[in-house]
Amino acid sequence: VQLVESGGTSVQAGGSLRLSCAVSGYTVSNKCVGWFRQAPGTEREGVAAIYTGGTVTYYADSVRGRFTISRDNAKNTLYLQMTSLKPEDTAMYYCATGPGGSVSRPLIPGDYSDWGQGTQVTVS
C-alpha cells in the first residue's frame, strides 16, 4: 500500500493549489479518505474528508469555503483544491485512508489507517 502526495509548493497569499494523492496497492473506491496538515510544533489536524459515495464531505472550519476535497475512483486518486490561501495554511499536507467507507471521526487522524509521506505547502 502506497499513498503519494504531490502538488505542494510555495505560493503567495490569495493563490491556489491543487494537491493530489495517488494510491496504489488497493482501490480507494470503498474507503473514506482525508487530508490532514501539520505545521512545525503543532499537532496534525484534519482538513477535509470524503466518504465513499463522494457526496458526504467534512471540512475544518478554518478551510470551509476555500478548500474542496474530491476523489477520482477510476484513477485511484484523491485531490484537495485549495483557494484563497493564507499564511496560516502553511504546513505539511498528508492524505490518508480509513479502514472502511466511513469513520467515526472524519477529521481525527487516529481514525485513519494508511498515510502518505506528505507534501509541503508554504504560503507567504
Side-chain angles (χ1 to χ4, degrees):
V1 175
Q2 191 174 23
L3 288 73
V4 179
E5 302 94 337
S6 61
T9 189
S10 296
V11 63
Q12 290 189 339
S16 300
L17 280 177
R18 188 177 80 157
L19 305 183
S20 300
C21 174
V23 182
S24 59
Y26 57 63
T27 177
V28 295
S29 62
N30 58 349
K31 292 187 179 291
C32 171
V33 295
W35 284 94
F36 298 80
R37 67 186 182 186
Q38 188 169 19
T42 69
E43 294 186 354
R44 192 168 298 187
E45 64 173 354
V47 174
I50 185 169
Y51 284 176
T52 54
T55 58
V56 178
T57 56
Y58 297 88
Y59 293 95
D61 290 342
S62 58
V63 307
R64 186 175 293 111
R66 300 189 298 121
F67 291 11
T68 303
I69 187 171
S70 62
R71 59 195 302 158
D72 186 333
N73 290 334
K75 295 182 178 180
N76 229 33
T77 301
L78 324 169
Y79 301 99
L80 184 68
Q81 180 69 48
M82 307 186 294
T83 63
S84 300
L85 283 161
K86 304 175 181 180
E88 51 262 45
D89 295 319
T90 295
M92 186 72 79
Y93 283 72
Y94 301 89
C95 62
T97 59
S102 63
V103 296
S104 299
R105 301 171 299 173
L107 297 180
I108 300 299
D111 278 27
Y112 291 77
S113 51
D114 295 313
W115 291 83
Q117 293 301 307
T119 185
Q120 177 68 37
V121 173
T122 302
V123 185
S124 60

